[in-house]
């Protein structure tokens, strides 16, 4: 996976947002929360909701890190 959510997880911890908070406030579902924690794929609607809640831009919560196998060899 080339998209990592380390920034998002850190922002959620800073804001005191937990899986319970996400479910209670109907921000995202438990399955989506689990995908984020495990580095799975999430859709743009989820990114939109998270940016709204965290008052940030997508680049503040997502990062592209190329897989080792995708890097060109010199």
């Amino acid at each position: 996976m080339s998209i990592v959510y380390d920034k998002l997880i850190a922002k959620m911890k800073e804001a005191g947002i937990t899986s319970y908070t996400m479910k209670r406030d109907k921000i995202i579902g438990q399955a989506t929360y689990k995908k984020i924690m495990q580095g799975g794929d999430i859709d743009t609607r989820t990114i939109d909701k998270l940016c709204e809640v965290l008052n940030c831009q997508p680049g503040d919560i997502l990062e592209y890190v190329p897989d080792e196998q995708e890097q060109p060899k010199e």
Side-chain angles (χ1 to χ4, degrees):
M1 180 87 210
S2 297
I3 302 293
V4 294
Y5 306 108
D6 297 342
K7 291 179 179 181
L8 171 58
I9 294 167
K11 274 197 165 293
M12 288 179 358
K13 284 181 182 176
E14 280 178 30
I17 297 173
T18 63
S19 63
Y20 173 75
T21 308
M22 294 283 192
K23 182 178 178 182
R24 181 194 68 207
D25 297 344
K26 297 180 181 176
I27 299 166
I28 60 173
Q30 290 295 110
T32 303
Y33 183 83
K34 186 175 179 180
K35 284 180 185 180
I36 291 168
M37 293 302 170
Q38 295 178 344
D41 295 331
I42 60 174
D43 64 27
T44 54
R45 290 172 296 196
T46 301
I47 295 167
D48 178 64
K49 287 179 187 177
L50 292 168
C51 286
E52 181 181 349
V53 169
L54 296 169
N55 192 29
C56 65
Q57 293 293 314
D60 298 330
I61 60 174
L62 305 173
E63 184 177 12
Y64 173 77
V65 178
D67 291 336
E68 286 184 35
Q69 62 198 16
E70 293 178 8
Q71 294 180 2
K73 296 181 181 180
E74 295 181 26

